[in-house]
PDB file of all heavy atoms in Angstrom:
ATOM      1  N   ASP Z  30      21.767  18.665 -54.695  1.00 43.00           N
ATOM      2  CA  ASP Z  30      20.516  18.892 -54.007  1.00 43.00           C
ATOM      3  C   ASP Z  30      19.523  17.788 -54.281  1.00 43.00           C
ATOM      4  O   ASP Z  30      18.786  17.352 -53.399  1.00 43.00           O
ATOM      5  CB  ASP Z  30      19.916  20.243 -54.431  1.00 43.00           C
ATOM      6  CG  ASP Z  30      20.707  21.413 -53.855  1.00 43.00           C
ATOM      7  OD1 ASP Z  30      21.479  21.151 -52.919  1.00 43.00           O
ATOM      8  OD2 ASP Z  30      20.543  22.542 -54.358  1.00 43.00           O
ATOM      9  N   ALA Z  31      19.526  17.295 -55.479  1.00 40.00           N
ATOM     10  CA  ALA Z  31      18.581  16.233 -55.850  1.00 40.00           C
ATOM     11  C   ALA Z  31      18.855  14.980 -55.048  1.00 40.00           C
ATOM     12  O   ALA Z  31      17.949  14.316 -54.547  1.00 40.00           O
ATOM     13  CB  ALA Z  31      18.672  15.957 -57.341  1.00 40.00           C
ATOM     14  N   LYS Z  32      20.126  14.629 -54.866  1.00 41.00           N
ATOM     15  CA  LYS Z  32      20.458  13.400 -54.125  1.00 41.00           C
ATOM     16  C   LYS Z  32      20.173  13.570 -52.639  1.00 41.00           C
ATOM     17  O   LYS Z  32      19.695  12.675 -51.973  1.00 41.00           O
ATOM     18  CB  LYS Z  32      21.916  13.044 -54.354  1.00 41.00           C
ATOM     19  CG  LYS Z  32      22.189  12.515 -55.777  1.00 41.00           C
ATOM     20  CD  LYS Z  32      23.627  12.092 -55.924  1.00 41.00           C
ATOM     21  CE  LYS Z  32      23.892  11.543 -57.322  1.00 41.00           C
ATOM     22  NZ  LYS Z  32      25.290  11.128 -57.479  1.00 41.00           N
ATOM     23  N   ALA Z  33      20.480  14.780 -52.118  1.00 41.00           N
ATOM     24  CA  ALA Z  33      20.269  15.002 -50.691  1.00 41.00           C
ATOM     25  C   ALA Z  33      18.803  14.961 -50.323  1.00 41.00           C
ATOM     26  O   ALA Z  33      18.442  14.577 -49.219  1.00 41.00           O
ATOM     27  CB  ALA Z  33      20.864  16.347 -50.276  1.00 41.00           C
ATOM     28  N   SER Z  34      17.941  15.337 -51.250  1.00 42.00           N
ATOM     29  CA  SER Z  34      16.508  15.333 -50.961  1.00 42.00           C
ATOM     30  C   SER Z  34      15.874  13.966 -51.094  1.00 42.00           C
ATOM     31  O   SER Z  34      14.689  13.799 -50.886  1.00 42.00           O
ATOM     32  CB  SER Z  34      15.786  16.318 -51.910  1.00 42.00           C
ATOM     33  OG  SER Z  34      15.916  15.859 -53.244  1.00 42.00           O
ATOM     34  N   GLY Z  35      16.668  12.982 -51.482  1.00 43.00           N
ATOM     35  CA  GLY Z  35      16.163  11.625 -51.576  1.00 43.00           C
ATOM     36  C   GLY Z  35      15.640  11.276 -52.950  1.00 43.00           C
ATOM     37  O   GLY Z  35      15.163  10.173 -53.164  1.00 43.00           O
ATOM     38  N   SER Z  36      15.729  12.197 -53.889  1.00 44.00           N
ATOM     39  CA  SER Z  36      15.233  11.897 -55.230  1.00 44.00           C
ATOM     40  C   SER Z  36      16.186  11.024 -56.005  1.00 44.00           C
ATOM     41  O   SER Z  36      15.809  10.376 -56.958  1.00 44.00           O
ATOM     42  CB  SER Z  36      14.977  13.214 -55.985  1.00 44.00           C
ATOM     43  OG  SER Z  36      16.196  13.946 -56.091  1.00 44.00           O
ATOM     44  N   GLY Z  37      17.475  10.989 -55.551  1.00 46.00           N
ATOM     45  CA  GLY Z  37      18.433  10.152 -56.246  1.00 46.00           C
ATOM     46  C   GLY Z  37      18.541   8.791 -55.585  1.00 46.00           C
ATOM     47  O   GLY Z  37      17.954   8.510 -54.552  1.00 46.00           O
ATOM     48  N   THR Z  38      19.325   7.903 -56.163  1.00 49.00           N
ATOM     49  CA  THR Z  38      19.498   6.545 -55.640  1.00 49.00           C
ATOM     50  C   THR Z  38      20.959   6.199 -55.391  1.00 49.00           C
ATOM     51  O   THR Z  38      21.306   5.043 -55.222  1.00 49.00           O
ATOM     52  CB  THR Z  38      18.897   5.525 -56.631  1.00 49.00           C
ATOM     53  OG1 THR Z  38      19.561   5.683 -57.898  1.00 49.00           O
ATOM     54  CG2 THR Z  38      17.403   5.740 -56.785  1.00 49.00           C
ATOM     55  N   GLY Z  39      21.854   7.201 -55.347  1.00 48.00           N
ATOM     56  CA  GLY Z  39      23.288   6.924 -55.175  1.00 48.00           C
ATOM     57  C   GLY Z  39      23.627   6.370 -53.799  1.00 48.00           C
ATOM     58  O   GLY Z  39      23.010   6.717 -52.803  1.00 48.00           O
ATOM     59  N   ASP Z  40      24.691   5.516 -53.691  1.00 52.00           N
ATOM     60  CA  ASP Z  40      25.099   4.882 -52.433  1.00 52.00           C
ATOM     61  C   ASP Z  40      25.938   5.810 -51.554  1.00 52.00           C
ATOM     62  O   ASP Z  40      26.366   5.425 -50.486  1.00 52.00           O
ATOM     63  CB  ASP Z  40      25.912   3.614 -52.737  1.00 52.00           C
ATOM     64  CG  ASP Z  40      25.021   2.516 -53.295  1.00 52.00           C
ATOM     65  OD1 ASP Z  40      23.807   2.599 -53.042  1.00 52.00           O
ATOM     66  OD2 ASP Z  40      25.550   1.627 -53.971  1.00 52.00           O
TER      67      ASP Z  40
END
Side-chain angles (χ1 to χ4, degrees):
D30 288 344
K32 288 184 179 180
S34 64
S36 61
T38 58
D40 289 338

